[in-house]
Amino acid sequence: MSEALVAVEAAGADTTAPAAPGAATFWRRLRAQRAALAAAAIVALLVLIALAAPLLTAIEGQDPTTYHPGLIDSARGGVPVGPLGGISAEHWLGVEPQTGRDLFARLVEGARVSLGVALAATVLQVLIGVTVGVAAAMGGRWLDQLLSRVTDIIVALPLMIMALALLAVVPADFPRPVLVAFVIGLIAWGNVAKIVRAQTLTLKGLDHVAAARLSGWGSVRVARRELLPGLAAPVITYAALLVPTNISIEAALSFLGVGVKPPTPSWGQMITAADVWYQAAPQYLLFPAGALFTTVLALTVLGDGVRTALDPRAASRLRVGTGRTRKEGAA
């Protein structure tokens, strides 16, 4: 409860504030969702693999950029030598066709790039979207109109086309993962701003926010002390759903050849290089595609679980493992 609201209540005013779920309540609701827990475990494992990628490749004794021409059958067009794409004690998932680079090393290093780009882009989207959304709702009519029109333009822009255009004109020596994250975050913050603006307009009418404004607090202080805590739930929910979307965007950009450049591995780039090898060396396509699919699915299920746990009144869009949560929310 805010300081301004306490002062108003002491004067005898009738004020009510919505009860936000505490951390204990949130975790209890989230634990009741079996699908969300399974997704959280998968996401945690993927993050651990991404963070430990250098250690894992060191344990295997390989790196993602070294060529192994002796493991490639040039007479057959560059197909890996040995069964299942050259899987062995030295190469746990085999090697790439034509290059002989270790597939396991490139897969785990690609996880660092894909997850890192998606998380960085999400953070940038949230920062810009929250700033613009709160400023639009708290500012005067002209500022609201200006920022709302800018947001509408950003939302209407075709993301992939704009990203292709921006990435194509940047010098090749610029760090590509950083550039991809920056471009995605810079173009795709519009929906965050719209959600934050709508929620801020709702929160402005609550008693504790009105009391803070009447007490003489400035807009920045009101936003920081009264509005941001109320915006945490919708922003966290939407951010959780943005991460898998950004992973897919990074993969699509790399697939189109304007994302992460070789020799830096990414899942989208690996899928691009594997599109002509799915018959001769199917594991070269199945491993990165399976990792991408699993990550996006797990993050989507987890994001939906977070949304349901933060707001039990909103039924889950996924009908797996959510029955107990709906019962608790009704209780």
Side-chain angles (χ1 to χ4, degrees):
M1 188 176 294
S2 70
E3 300 167 5
L5 184 55
V6 171
V8 173
E9 285 184 340
D14 181 17
T15 56
T16 57
T25 303
F26 168 77
W27 288 116
R28 175 170 54 82
R29 291 171 181 169
L30 188 63
R31 286 197 304 268
Q33 302 180 71
R34 295 182 298 275
L37 287 181
I42 293 173
V43 170
L45 178 61
L46 290 168
V47 171
L48 182 62
I49 290 174
L51 293 175
L55 176 61
L56 293 174
T57 55
I59 292 174
E60 188 196 23
Q62 305 295 336
D63 65 78
T65 59
T66 300
Y67 284 46
H68 299 91
L71 301 178
I72 299 301
D73 188 351
S74 57
R76 297 173 55 201
V79 176
V81 176
L84 302 176
I87 292 178
S88 64
E90 292 78 21
H91 302 279
W92 297 347
L93 296 181
V95 296
E96 284 185 341
Q98 287 191 320
T99 66
R101 292 180 296 193
D102 186 79
L103 190 56
F104 174 80
R106 293 187 64 78
L107 193 67
V108 296
E109 288 288 346
R112 301 186 74 189
V113 173
S114 296
L115 290 173
V117 168
L119 290 173
T122 300
V123 170
L124 185 57
Q125 286 172 268
V126 169
L127 289 176
I128 298 176
V130 170
T131 302
V132 173
V134 172
M138 293 295 292
R141 182 176 179 180
W142 68 270
L143 182 61
D144 187 16
Q145 290 292 325
L146 174 63
L147 294 179
S148 295
R149 297 296 77 78
V150 172
T151 302
D152 290 338
I153 294 173
I154 292 295
V155 172
L157 289 175
L159 172 60
M160 293 301 296
I161 295 177
M162 293 300 299
L164 287 170
L166 291 175
L167 290 170
V169 300
V170 176
D173 57 349
F174 194 90
R176 213 62 180 184
V178 176
L179 177 61
V180 172
F182 180 77
V183 168
I184 295 174
L186 193 62
I187 297 175
W189 54 264
N191 287 324
V192 179
K194 281 182 169 291
I195 292 172
V196 170
R197 176 183 176 274
Q199 188 69 16
T200 302
L201 290 174
T202 301
L203 293 174
K204 280 176 62 177
L206 298 179
D207 292 339
H208 66 97
V209 180
R213 300 179 72 182
L214 290 173
S215 67
W217 287 10
S219 297
V220 175
R221 189 179 183 189
V222 171
R224 180 171 56 87
R225 298 292 298 273
E226 304 296 335
L227 295 178
L228 291 182
L231 293 171
V235 169
I236 291 173
T237 297
Y238 193 68
L241 297 174
L242 275 177
V243 176
T245 301
N246 290 337
I247 289 178
S248 300
I249 293 173
E250 183 278 324
L253 291 172
S254 295
F255 183 83
L256 294 173
V258 295
V260 178
K261 298 290 187 181
T264 304
S266 79
W267 291 342
Q269 179 197 115
M270 294 173 69
I271 294 172
T272 303
D275 62 351
V276 298
W277 295 99
Y278 65 91
Q279 289 183 332
Q283 79 287 340
Y284 186 29
L285 174 63
L286 292 177
F287 284 134
L292 179 62
F293 174 79
T294 301
T295 303
V296 171
L297 179 61
L299 285 168
T300 302
V301 174
L302 178 60
D304 185 80
V306 170
R307 183 182 68 87
T308 307
L310 288 171
D311 185 8
R313 295 170 299 177
S316 172
R317 295 171 298 176
L318 305 174
R319 300 302 179 186
V320 180
T322 56
R324 290 173 60 188
T325 298
R326 289 196 296 272
K327 291 178 183 178
E328 290 187 9

